[in-house]
């Protein structure tokens, strides 16, 4: 059971001694690094202190709709996150620690712990998100007496390994790939066998005020946590050899074998990109190295590119004109957006993909390109509403990859061609010629006209 402190402060038990109050106590703030292996700042902190708090904060704002009509956290990712936290707690307990889960505004929640336990050293992994970077800066400003340590365990490369300054990050992917793909990638750091103890015993509970989880049985292997992540990596590489055909199968729309499915675990840090890379290298050394095994590394490099892209462009990642500062000719029509989110557009392949997403929290890479192209081109909607809806629905949401890819499809980001549009009928013929995917996810249901009213709210069609 995960330790929790949801609505009131947790106080020390009777066994807490006066000596423990003067100990050199540290706090590790878990965010998108929900593992103990290959977690450099956690190890650094654990070696530097003699008591330790391991903390995750559930931000109460995650479940509230933004001005794009979507929340940050939907039910599928919330379920996956809870499973990941339970697994993390088990990893910590094996090493004499426990996970403390707080609920509320992160700076206030962390700040309370800092004051209550006289924290002298705090650590976390660097995050490419704008809000996450701001939170870390605010925390250091609020508690300048603390030693603060960050690590770079979310990316393949460290900043110092890049052969260019961050300000000189290439505008598109291919020049970036050519500059970095031969860089030696550090071996994953092993976890410590034992961590310093917590200064007190925390209550064991879980927040009852948070959204209830509705699990999907469509992808039973898609379970949160480092244990499931390692199991999936082993399954995809060494147990099935599916990786050897990845380049031929990667454009699939449904099923478990056509792609690695590692993106969800990579997104919340249940597994690191370095762990995936070095297991891939081991597979190539022991089994085979071909275009498909390289292509998985190619996809890791895309993820890496968007990580640094987000850090370079900061808040420009979320602006309608994108990093190109070129405002697209789009608007927002609530009825069209509602049809897109519910899978009731005139385009069956788009409907099937959106219904799959809503039911499972998963959508293939090919599907994401098609539904994004539809929203931007066929529906002429503001791309940011689509990006925000993906943020809410996708189990594997990653702020850099999600918003960077949406900019790419909207023609305001890293695409050298600009404003890329997919022919939906042709794509259906290529990737679902027998319409089995469309039939499974009922893509032909409720495919009425795109608009029921005109822009003056006059009826166009009568039901």
């Amino acid at each position: 059971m995960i330790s929790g402190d949801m609505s009131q402060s947790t106080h020390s038990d009777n066994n807490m001694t006066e000596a423990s109050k003067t100990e050199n106590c540290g706090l590790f703030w878990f965010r998108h690094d929900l593992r103990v292996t290959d977690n450099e700042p956690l190890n650094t902190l654990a070696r530097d202190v003699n008591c330790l708090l391991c903390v995750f904060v559930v931000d109460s704002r995650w479940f509230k709709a933004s001005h794009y009509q979507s929340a940050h956290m939907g039910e599928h990712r919330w379920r996956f996150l809870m499973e990941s936290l339970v697994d993390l707690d088990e990893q910590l307990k094996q090493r004499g620690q426990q996970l403390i889960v707080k609920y509320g505004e992160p700076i206030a929640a962390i700040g309370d712990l800092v004051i209550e336990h006289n924290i002298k050293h705090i650590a976390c992994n660097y995050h490419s998100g704008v809000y996450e970077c701001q939170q870390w800066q605010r925390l250091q400003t609020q508690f300048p007496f603390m030693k603060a340590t960050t690590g770079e365990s979310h990316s393949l490369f460290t900043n110092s390994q890049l052969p260019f300054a961050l300000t000189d990050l290439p505008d598109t992917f291919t020049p970036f790939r050519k500059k970095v793909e031969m860089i030696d990638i550090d071996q994953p750091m092993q976890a410590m066998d034992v961590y310093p103890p917590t200064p007190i015993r925390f209550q064991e509970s879980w927040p009852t005020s948070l959204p209830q989880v509705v699990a999907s049985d469509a992808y039973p292997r898609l379970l949160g946590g480092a244990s499931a992540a390692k199991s999936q990596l082993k399954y995809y590489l060494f147990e099935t050899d599916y990786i050897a055909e990845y380049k031929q199968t990667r454009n699939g729309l449904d099923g478990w074998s056509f792609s690695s499915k590692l993106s969800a675990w990579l997104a919340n840090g249940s597994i690191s990109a370095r762990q995936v890379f070095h297991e891939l290298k081991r597979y190539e050394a022991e089994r085979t190295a071909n275009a498909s095994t390289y292509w998985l590394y190619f996809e890791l490099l895309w993820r890496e590119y968007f990580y640094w892209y987000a850090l370079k462009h900061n808040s420009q990642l979320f602006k309608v004109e994108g990093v190109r500062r070129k405002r697209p000719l789009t608007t927002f029509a609530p009825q069209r957006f509602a049809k897109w989110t519910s899978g009731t557009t005139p385009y069956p392949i788009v409907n099937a993909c959106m219904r799959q997403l809503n039911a499972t929290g998963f959508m293939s890479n090919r599907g994401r390109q098609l539904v994004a192209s539809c929203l931007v081109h066929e529906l002429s909607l503001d791309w940011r509403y689509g990006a925000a809806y993906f943020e809410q629905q996708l189990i594997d949401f990653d702020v850099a990859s999600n918003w960077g890819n949406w900019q790419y499809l909207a023609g305001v980001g890293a695409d050298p061609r600009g404003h890329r549009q997919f022919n939906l009928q042709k794509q259906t013929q290529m990737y679902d010629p027998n319409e089995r995917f469309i039939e499974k996810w009922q893509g032909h249901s409720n495919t009425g006209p795109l608009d029921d009213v005109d822009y003056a709210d006059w009826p166009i069609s009568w039901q």
Side-chain angles (χ1 to χ4, degrees), residues 109 197 209:
S209 59

Side-chain angles (χ1 to χ4, degrees), residues 267-288:
N268 74 13
S270 292
I271 196 169
S272 74
R274 293 169 193 163
Q275 287 175 287
V276 175
F277 172 81
H278 282 286
E279 281 300 283
L280 177 63
K281 290 288 122 181
R282 185 165 75 89
Y283 177 88
E284 289 182 329
E286 296 178 7
R287 299 283 180 87
T288 185

Side-chain angles (χ1 to χ4, degrees), residues 39-164:
N39 198 329
E40 179 186 6
L42 175 60
N43 281 4
T44 299
L45 177 65
R47 288 192 296 265
D48 191 53
V49 299
N50 53 28
C51 71
L52 176 65
L53 275 67
C54 295
V55 181
F56 184 88
V57 182
V58 177
D59 193 330
S60 55
R61 296 168 295 185
W62 287 347
F63 309 97
K64 299 176 182 178
S66 71
H67 55 282
Y68 295 121
Q69 302 189 2
S70 301
H72 169 73
M73 180 81 68
E75 64 181 17
H76 298 297
R77 185 152 60 93
W78 173 236
R79 184 265 305 170
F80 192 83
L81 173 60
M82 284 201 298
E83 293 168 349
S84 300
L85 294 176
V86 169
D87 188 81
L88 175 59
D89 187 48
E90 288 300 316
Q91 296 176 62
L92 291 170
K93 284 180 177 177
Q94 292 171 14
R95 295 164 173 82
Q97 258 291 335
Q98 63 180 135
L99 183 65
I100 302 162
V101 177
K102 300 279 282 184
Y103 176 63
E105 195 282 319
I107 301 305
I110 296 292
D112 288 346
L113 290 171
V114 169
I115 294 170
E116 183 176 359
H117 302 289
N118 192 25
I119 300 298
K120 294 180 172 63
H121 188 173
I122 188 168
C124 72
N125 270 292
Y126 206 76
H127 201 299
S128 62
V130 173
Y131 295 133
E132 290 80 1
C133 290
Q134 291 174 348
Q135 287 171 346
W136 181 244
Q137 292 168 357
R138 283 172 53 205
L139 196 60
Q140 293 178 84
T141 300
Q142 186 171 337
F143 300 102
F145 58 85
M146 283 193 308
K147 179 180 178 181
T149 301
T150 56
E152 297 180 86
S153 298
H154 193 63
S155 52
L156 281 171
F157 315 117
T158 63
N159 198 351
S160 63
Q161 287 179 304
L162 295 178
F164 44 76

Side-chain angles (χ1 to χ4, degrees), residues 330 336-337 339-341 343-354 363 366-383 386 390 406 409-410 419-425 427 450:
T330 58
R336 289 189 174 191
F337 182 65
K339 288 189 174 183
W340 182 81
T341 60
T344 55
T345 73
Y347 311 103
I349 190 68
V350 171
N351 296 342
C353 289
M354 294 305 295
M363 189 190 297
R366 176 57 53 179
R368 297 179 202 202
Q369 295 180 64
L370 300 185
V371 303
S373 177
C374 176
L375 181 131
V376 170
H377 296 287
E378 276 72 22
L379 307 188
S380 300
L381 298 179
D382 185 333
W383 65 269
F390 269 23
W406 270 95
L409 263 297
H419 227 223
R420 192 175 300 242
Q421 183 174 10
F422 290 89
N423 183 316
L424 297 176
Q425 184 176 1
Q427 292 285 309
L450 182 59

Side-chain angles (χ1 to χ4, degrees), residues 248-311:
Q248 291 75 44
T249 63
R250 63 192 174 89
N251 283 307
L253 296 171
D254 206 359
W256 194 252
S257 63
F258 71 85
S259 65
S260 73
K261 303 297 187 298
L262 292 170
S263 57
W265 292 289
L266 284 166
N268 74 13
S270 292
I271 196 169
S272 74
R274 293 169 193 163
Q275 287 175 287
V276 175
F277 172 81
H278 282 286
E279 281 300 283
L280 177 63
K281 290 288 122 181
R282 185 165 75 89
Y283 177 88
E284 289 182 329
E286 296 178 7
R287 299 283 180 87
T288 185
N290 60 19
S292 289
T293 57
Y294 168 76
W295 211 259
L296 185 61
Y297 178 47
F298 182 88
E299 300 292 356
L300 287 175
L301 289 177
W302 260 114
R303 174 185 179 274
E304 187 77 4
Y305 176 68
F306 281 127
Y307 173 82
W308 298 106
Y309 179 94
L311 284 173

Side-chain angles (χ1 to χ4, degrees), residues 138-205:
R138 283 172 53 205
L139 196 60
Q140 293 178 84
T141 300
Q142 186 171 337
F143 300 102
F145 58 85
M146 283 193 308
K147 179 180 178 181
T149 301
T150 56
E152 297 180 86
S153 298
H154 193 63
S155 52
L156 281 171
F157 315 117
T158 63
N159 198 351
S160 63
Q161 287 179 304
L162 295 178
F164 44 76
L166 185 59
T167 53
D168 296 324
L169 179 79
D171 293 334
T172 57
F173 171 69
T174 299
F176 169 81
R177 175 183 60 80
K178 290 180 178 179
K179 289 177 181 290
V180 304
E181 64 181 341
M182 299 308 293
I183 294 176
D184 289 334
I185 296 173
D186 294 340
Q187 287 284 342
M189 181 175 289
Q190 296 302 309
M192 295 174 63
D193 294 331
V194 179
Y195 292 131
T198 55
I200 64 173
R201 184 185 301 278
F202 286 82
Q203 290 179 328
E204 295 191 349
S205 62

